[in-house]
Amino acid sequence: MPTILPTSQVLPAPNRRLLIGGVLLAGLLSVPIIAMLSLEGLLAARCATSTVSEGVVQGKVLWKIERRDCSGAKAPFFDVMIGADGKTFSPALTGRGEPRPLAVVSAGENRAEVRLSAPIRINGQETSTLVVRLRRSGSPAERIDLEKLTAQASGGGAP
């Protein structure tokens, strides 16, 4: 019996539809990723970041304070970053304008104390330091929003 070979190299219709559907789905799923990367690039181009100070909290736990000056912003942004030596830094405190973070010191086991340039009022008491809890790995267990704290203390509340 003779064997007949197919003469067409084109995919059968059901397989072609699956392939086209997969390509369309991959394209649609990539849109948010592309949008996020382009937005991040735009923000990075409009802001200049510099390290204000850095040091060691305890053992191999490091800290640094970054200042970001963005065009169109009323005041610079400050980020206190904490992390274990050789690991990625994570934000422990963020703020804009005054008061600004000055330094970070150890406040005991698994705690770091952020010193501020001016006192703020929290629960009726003035303080110029804020305590950040740390995980065993050295990364912050929480992120404090200094702008939100000062707004709540002045009676503005959070939106």
Side-chain angles (χ1 to χ4, degrees), residues 3-156:
T3 305
I4 301 174
L5 296 174
T7 59
S8 174
Q9 295 293 333
V10 179
L11 291 173
N15 289 345
R16 191 178 336 172
R17 276 187 257 134
L18 282 175
L19 183 62
I20 291 171
V23 168
L24 287 175
L25 184 60
L28 287 174
L29 290 174
S30 67
V31 168
I33 295 169
I34 293 169
M36 183 194 70
L37 291 176
S38 61
L39 179 63
E40 197 171 298
L42 178 67
L43 289 176
R46 297 187 71 201
C47 297
T49 303
S50 61
T51 300
V52 176
S53 58
E54 55 191 354
V56 178
V57 176
Q58 50 187 310
K60 292 189 175 234
V61 178
L62 308 175
W63 64 270
K64 67 179 175 179
I65 298 174
E66 292 182 342
R67 176 184 173 137
R68 233 182 2 238
D69 292 299
C70 298
S71 62
K74 295 177 186 173
F77 295 90
F78 292 95
D79 290 322
V80 175
M81 310 292 279
I82 299 177
D85 189 19
K87 303 289 181 182
T88 303
F89 281 89
S90 299
L93 182 136
T94 60
R96 180 173 59 172
E98 291 293 330
R100 66 184 187 281
L102 298 175
V104 180
V105 296
S106 178
E109 186 69 25
N110 295 329
R111 296 198 180 285
E113 189 175 84
V114 179
R115 295 191 178 152
L116 303 173
S117 63
I120 61 170
R121 183 172 292 278
I122 300 175
N123 297 330
Q125 296 181 353
E126 282 196 352
T127 182
S128 59
T129 61
L130 293 172
V131 176
V132 177
R133 292 180 300 118
L134 301 176
R135 293 188 178 102
R136 289 185 192 190
S137 65
S139 65
E142 60 191 347
R143 184 185 66 84
I144 299 172
D145 187 346
L146 192 55
E147 199 170 1
K148 186 185 251 184
L149 268 180
T150 54
Q152 288 174 347
S154 65

